[in-house]
Amino acid sequence: MKIALIQMNSQPYRAANLRQAEELMQQALSGRPDLIVLPEHFDWTGGTAVQKRAAADHVPGGAAYKLVQSFAARNRVAIHAGSLLETRVGSKRIHNTSVVFDAHGNEIGLYRKIHLFDIVAPDGKVYNESETVAAGDSLLIYEIGGIRIACCICYDLRFSRLFDRLAQENVDIFVLPAAFTRQTGKDHWEVLCRARAIEFQAYVVACGQCGHYETPAGERRDMHGHSMVCDPWGKVVAEAGDEVGVLEVEIEPTCITAVRSLIPMATHRVDLQNVQLAVRKAQR
């Protein structure tokens, strides 16, 4: 199975972002991929809370949705549409949503980001995703050519319980669109991607934003880039740099089988819900 990861530098300009996405997907076709993956926020990155809510579009029916759907149908290629801003009728908050299309342009399903990025980064920059985004409440696994693929988005990478739940359904690939900050990405991105691949003996396909954008207040925000693919042994088999472009990789089902046979974690994994836990304090 061939996968093409599209690394972008999206800005708070929808038309330009969609042009960039389409141009890069067109470029990716030369490698004859079975699946194209776009990054988180491929349609819109940055802006104020008000601008983000205004930029959010309908699913189905919005401009970003229609672009990807049409491209998939026209070029007979499945597309994991990273994430886009999805409007919620009657609500002041929106969703951060992945939409997956098959090679005929049919919507396979969607996943709305569950873990929202509300932190103060090491450099003091404040990220408050929940100000504008409402968390999703369901998971999605889809299948292409007999390979089972699970959806997650960016900050989800830090929460192994989500991956554990998905892995219970015999997932072969985790697809993670992202817009990791450079501050956190330089120390944690590769480590976490490799850890999830090792823990759950599956490929991790992590497709990121790169470059930077400026907030309305003029604050520069750098994105980590370095889209990568880790195999079930935890080896980085493909990695992009800091530039916009296409990263191509071929998934080897035999690698998944070999790793799971060598260390049969699925049969060894214990359900700890009913295991007793003691917490005791030593006398000083």
Side-chain angles (χ1 to χ4, degrees):
M1 180 182 191
K2 292 183 178 179
I3 300 180
L5 291 71
I6 306 298
Q7 184 161 285
M8 295 178 61
N9 174 225
S10 297
Q11 300 290 321
Y13 305 106
R14 177 186 295 279
N17 295 335
L18 296 187
R19 280 197 304 272
Q20 181 183 154
E22 186 168 24
E23 289 169 2
L24 289 167
M25 288 194 296
Q26 189 66 43
Q27 180 181 328
L29 291 177
S30 63
R32 301 178 64 83
D34 301 295
L35 177 67
I36 292 175
V37 179
L38 290 164
E40 182 182 26
H41 298 317
F42 76 91
D43 64 329
W44 180 280
T45 297
T48 65
V50 172
Q51 289 171 330
K52 287 176 182 175
R53 285 193 288 268
D57 213 340
H58 294 284
V59 173
Y65 184 102
K66 286 182 176 178
L67 169 75
V68 179
Q69 181 181 46
S70 173
F71 191 96
R74 191 168 64 251
N75 295 288
R76 293 293 188 265
V77 62
I79 302 177
H80 189 122
S83 82
L84 50 82
L85 304 184
E86 178 191 1
T87 191
R88 299 171 73 221
V89 177
S91 175
K92 291 185 177 180
R93 292 200 292 170
I94 62 179
H95 282 305
N96 184 351
T97 305
S98 292
V99 187
V100 183
F101 298 95
D102 69 17
H104 302 283
N106 301 310
E107 180 186 316
I108 296 174
L110 56 82
Y111 165 69
R112 298 182 175 107
K113 187 178 181 183
I114 288 176
H115 297 100
L116 303 182
F117 193 56
D118 292 350
I119 75 154
V120 178
D123 60 1
K125 291 184 172 67
V126 177
Y127 296 83
N128 189 15
E129 188 173 18
S130 67
E131 180 184 6
T132 53
V133 176
D137 60 5
S138 62
L139 300 173
L140 173 65
I141 296 170
Y142 62 97
E143 191 170 306
I144 294 178
I147 294 178
R148 292 171 68 82
I149 303 171
C151 299
C152 37
I153 299 174
C154 200
Y155 192 44
D156 285 335
L157 182 61
R158 294 182 181 273
F159 298 90
S160 59
R161 284 185 177 180
L162 182 147
F163 285 77
D164 190 32
R165 176 66 188 93
L166 291 166
Q168 290 174 29
E169 307 301 326
N170 300 314
V171 166
D172 300 308
I173 302 173
F174 296 102
V175 171
L176 182 96
F180 245 63
T181 71
R182 185 168 297 166
Q183 280 278 302
T184 57
K186 63 185 176 63
D187 295 324
H188 297 164
W189 174 249
E190 180 180 330
V191 174
L192 287 168
C193 287
R194 295 181 67 191
R196 297 295 167 255
I198 294 167
E199 284 175 314
F200 301 108
Q201 299 182 312
Y203 279 92
V204 171
V205 173
C207 183
Q209 292 275 358
C210 65
H212 75 277
Y213 64 93
E214 289 190 0
T215 69
E219 180 181 81
R220 179 183 171 118
R221 298 210 165 173
D222 294 291
M223 297 176 287
H224 184 58
H226 292 274
S227 296
M228 68 171 51
V229 178
C230 303
D231 72 14
W233 192 250
K235 180 181 177 182
V236 177
V237 294
E239 181 178 3
D242 299 318
E243 304 297 327
V244 168
V246 178
L247 178 66
E248 298 177 341
V249 69
E250 186 153 2
I251 300 299
E252 299 288 352
T254 54
C255 177
I256 301 170
T257 303
V259 170
R260 292 175 181 175
S261 297
L262 186 63
I263 307 177
M265 290 176 62
T267 60
H268 294 163
R269 190 165 278 118
V270 176
D271 183 355
L272 301 178
Q273 290 297 316
N274 299 316
V275 174
Q276 292 186 352
L277 171 66
V279 179
R280 299 195 174 101
K281 187 174 182 180
Q283 294 296 320
R284 299 185 69 179

